[in-house]
Amino acid sequence: MYPTSTPSCTPFGGRNVPYSHSPFMDGLVDACKVPCVYKSFGCESVFRDCPYPDEKLRKDLSERLGMSAQQVKFWFQNKRTFSKGKMQRWETQNHWVENERLKTEHQAIMLAMQNKTCLKCRGVMVQTQDTSERQRLYTENMRLKEELLHATTYLKEGLRRNGMSLPRARN
């Protein structure tokens, strides 16, 4: 019923492997439809230059390699799918490494905040005032600067109306 060996064009390097010892035994893959190694190399070289060949290039390639145009078409589809999956796995691994680096950095920052240490010099930070007091003083300073600006503008305008000017500041 089935031959005892695969055709000469096999993925096992041209060796005749009985069906009982090959992946073709279950009937899912027909050995005659698997391209030979040299055919795959021919497609590989074209794939590097043009992963989406047009119909003319596929036909030329199929004639050169002794495959049907449909086999060439499916080979390119499978190769693109495999390459895309490989690229996604590579990106996932890079994202995982970056995520681990960020986690480590986050832990170092949280530890430094708990111990109140400087991240640059690793020395202990001495804080003179708590943050809320510092924020209140900053806000008050901004308000006073704004008040000073308005008062200076008002004074200059009044002096200008009276024909006078402010004395120049000494350095």
Side-chain angles (χ1 to χ4, degrees):
M1 182 164 140
Y2 290 107
T4 57
S5 65
T6 58
S8 62
C9 184
T10 68
F12 300 106
R15 294 180 293 137
N16 288 333
V17 178
Y19 271 111
S20 60
H21 300 329
S22 73
F24 307 111
M25 184 180 148
D26 53 7
L28 295 176
V29 178
D30 185 7
C32 297
K33 294 185 180 178
V34 175
C36 294
V37 173
Y38 82 92
K39 291 179 182 179
S40 291
F41 285 140
C43 291
E44 282 284 346
S45 63
V46 174
F47 183 81
R48 277 185 237 114
D49 296 332
C50 178
Y52 292 91
D54 59 0
E55 193 171 333
K56 183 182 179 202
L57 183 58
R58 282 196 311 262
K59 185 177 181 192
D60 178 52
L61 195 58
S62 70
E63 289 173 359
R64 224 175 355 136
L65 297 176
M67 299 168 65
S68 71
Q70 193 172 18
Q71 282 178 313
V72 173
K73 177 182 174 183
F74 289 143
W75 187 93
F76 275 90
Q77 284 177 354
N78 292 339
K79 183 66 175 177
R80 285 192 301 265
T81 302
F82 176 77
S83 297
K84 183 179 177 183
K86 189 174 182 180
M87 181 62 75
Q88 286 175 343
R89 286 188 296 278
W90 183 78
E91 286 177 358
T92 300
Q93 184 176 2
N94 284 348
H95 289 310
W96 185 83
V97 168
E98 177 71 9
N99 190 28
E100 290 299 314
R101 186 187 66 76
L102 289 173
K103 280 181 183 178
T104 305
E105 186 178 322
H106 176 68
Q107 288 175 345
I109 290 171
M110 295 306 288
L111 184 63
M113 286 174 55
Q114 288 173 353
N115 297 334
K116 297 191 183 347
T117 56
C118 176
L119 289 175
K120 290 183 181 176
C121 67
R122 300 287 185 213
V124 176
M125 292 191 319
V126 178
Q127 214 169 9
T128 56
Q129 300 168 347
D130 69 338
T131 332
S132 59
E133 177 67 12
R134 188 179 230 164
Q135 183 66 34
R136 187 189 64 76
L137 289 174
Y138 178 78
T139 306
E140 185 178 350
N141 190 24
M142 292 300 290
R143 185 184 57 78
L144 290 172
K145 282 182 181 178
E146 195 70 30
E147 242 180 75
L148 176 64
L149 183 66
H150 285 301
T152 306
T153 306
Y154 182 74
L155 179 62
K156 283 181 183 178
E157 182 64 28
L159 290 174
R160 189 185 59 78
R161 284 186 187 157
N162 293 328
M164 304 167 97
S165 64
L166 282 174
R168 298 198 181 252
R170 294 183 198 166
N171 291 339

